[in-house]
Amino acid sequence: MNTEILSSTDLNIMRCASRLKAGELVAFPTETVYALGAIATDAQAVKKVYEVKSRPTDKPLIVAVAKKSDIQKVVKSIPKKAQILIDRFMPGALTLVLDRADVIPDEVTVGSESVAVRIPDNAVAKKLIELAGAPVVVPSANTADKASPTLAAHVKDDLDGKIEYILDGGASEIGIESTIVDARTEPPTVLRVGGVTVEQLKQAIGEVKTLRQDARLSGYMPNAEVLFSAYYDGMTENICKRYDEITAQQKTAVIICLDGNRDCYGDRNVYTVGDSYEAYAHNLFAVLRKADGEHYDAVIAEGVNPEGLGESLIARLIKLSGGMII
Ligand code: AMP
Ligand code: MG
């Protein structure tokens, strides 16, 4: 199969919607990461998603709809706090777990009576789902061993020959996955931290339960060993010291840092990720891919404050580093 990257013209979005309706898979942009879509009510199409991604078959898929009034078509009921979260954060990087409606097959939820639903805040994604006329599953469009894709080219690297079309919508704005909240519990439970922060959730609905932050993150691990620094005054010196120890052992290393700290690392290898936590999140998966592509033995990531998106970054970096905090 030839995999084509298509610009997001109306005609191409229509073409992709009709491929979805025919039971095929299409990759498309969302504001979190690129998604591998299939019609959620088509069990055969959903099965293909697991095959193409080599996704563990016990990991349920998130379902996306195009607008708020479509949520009630995939769930049995919407509790009051869920409705507040919908009004406040959708469309956006929030996924709610609710009781599933009968139209959602077991293949999507892996047999669970719940379903995870969100509305992407991306015009191409919304148009595609609207034209497909049905809810669409939206796992990240990578194979299980790769970082979530934030560019059409990343999708092509991973899924070339396995799907027909990738709709190109430029870089995913947020760059990390959605926050997942189980809205069936009281108080609601945060299952994964992502693009919407716990502070934002608390502002909207008061108390929330949180699980261990890294419990629900994806199975992706880069080839390079990832070291993640604690955030403190001596951080950049400590990172330099670690870097020099690693390279003294004839290994290669690269530091992931904010623009403002670039000069602290002299002529060591560095990937800069911008000047804010938003920019760090936006670029994280792309630089990890780059490190794999350039065959670095080690990646040393700067630590961040646990505020705002910093919390979501820390959760990912703890997971990626296997807890190796330096
Ligand atoms: P990914 O597609 O890699 O972003 O993973 C989707 C995430 O959503 C996984 O962590 C799933 O466990 C979670 N998820 C999807 N559906 C449900 C559900 N019905 N209940 C709880 N978690 C879910
Ligand atoms: Mg993923």
Side-chain angles (χ1 to χ4, degrees):
M1 190 186 298
N2 190 28
T3 302
E4 215 181 319
I5 296 183
L6 301 174
S7 59
S8 297
T9 60
D10 286 353
L11 200 65
N12 283 337
I13 297 173
M14 268 159 55
R15 187 173 357 163
C16 288
S18 62
R19 296 313 292 149
L20 286 175
K21 284 188 192 173
E24 293 302 327
L25 313 187
V26 172
F28 59 93
T30 84
E31 83 284 21
T32 57
V33 300
Y34 271 71
L36 179 62
I39 299 282
T41 52
D42 180 342
Q44 291 312 315
V46 171
K47 277 188 193 159
K48 279 193 234 168
V49 170
Y50 284 89
E51 282 164 29
V52 163
K53 278 181 62 70
S54 307
R55 184 182 177 93
T57 47
D58 60 353
K59 194 172 170 197
L61 296 166
I62 294 173
V63 168
V65 296
K67 56 181 190 298
K68 290 180 195 177
S69 56
D70 288 343
I71 293 175
Q72 63 208 46
K73 297 180 186 165
V74 297
V75 306
K76 285 219 166 85
S77 61
I78 302 179
K80 203 163 148 232
K81 284 187 183 167
Q83 190 60 52
I84 296 171
L85 294 174
I86 290 166
D87 292 338
R88 173 76 178 76
F89 297 110
M90 293 196 186
L94 180 70
T95 296
L96 291 182
V97 173
L98 293 163
D99 286 325
R100 75 161 157 161
D102 297 338
V103 290
I104 301 297
D106 282 343
E107 282 74 6
V108 171
T109 69
V110 198
S112 162
E113 286 310 314
S114 65
V115 62
V117 60
R118 86 174 192 100
I119 306 174
D121 189 13
N122 175 290
V124 176
K126 279 191 284 198
K127 187 151 202 181
L128 178 69
I129 298 165
E130 188 80 63
L131 289 171
V136 171
V137 291
V138 286
S140 52
N142 53 298
T143 43
D145 57 335
K146 293 282 171 50
S148 296
T150 54
L151 288 174
H154 295 159
V155 181
K156 174 112 169 150
D157 285 345
D158 291 355
L159 302 184
D160 202 17
K162 294 183 174 171
I163 58 174
E164 291 173 39
Y165 296 125
I166 303 166
L167 273 173
D168 189 350
S172 290
E173 234 173 76
I174 296 181
I176 57 174
E177 294 90 346
S178 60
T179 295
I180 304 178
V181 174
D182 189 337
R184 298 168 306 161
T185 64
E186 179 48 47
T189 307
V190 182
L191 301 178
R192 173 173 84 181
V193 288
V196 170
T197 66
V198 173
E199 291 125 82
Q200 287 176 310
L201 295 171
K202 284 182 177 163
Q203 270 167 20
I205 53 167
E207 197 191 343
V208 292
K209 265 193 280 190
T210 50
L211 299 179
R212 258 175 61 81
Q213 294 194 335
D214 54 345
R216 285 299 194 112
L217 295 176
S218 71
Y220 159 70
M221 295 298 267
N223 297 326
E225 179 186 13
V226 177
L227 304 171
F228 162 47
S229 175
Y231 182 78
Y232 63 106
D233 277 351
M235 175 177 82
T236 58
E237 290 85 352
N238 185 35
I239 290 176
C240 288
K241 190 164 151 262
R242 267 313 174 100
Y243 180 102
D244 295 344
E245 285 166 8
I246 292 166
T247 52
Q249 298 165 11
Q250 316 307 321
K251 290 189 194 162
T252 58
V254 62
I255 298 163
I256 299 179
C257 73
L258 291 174
D259 294 357
N261 295 333
R262 170 70 192 87
D263 291 345
C264 303
Y265 302 115
D267 58 3
R268 295 174 182 86
N269 298 318
V270 160
Y271 293 145
T272 52
V273 288
D275 57 10
S276 63
Y277 290 172
E278 283 72 22
Y280 196 161
H282 174 83
N283 290 309
L284 176 67
F285 286 133
V287 292
L288 289 172
R289 251 173 206 272
K290 206 162 141 194
D292 277 348
E294 295 179 357
H295 305 292
Y296 280 111
D297 297 312
V299 173
I300 311 177
E302 281 189 344
V304 293
N305 248 333
E307 61 189 34
L309 274 189
E311 196 175 351
S312 310
L313 274 167
I314 290 169
R316 278 163 185 73
L317 287 166
I318 288 175
K319 171 69 174 30
L320 289 162
S321 64
M324 277 291 292
I325 299 172
I326 60 169

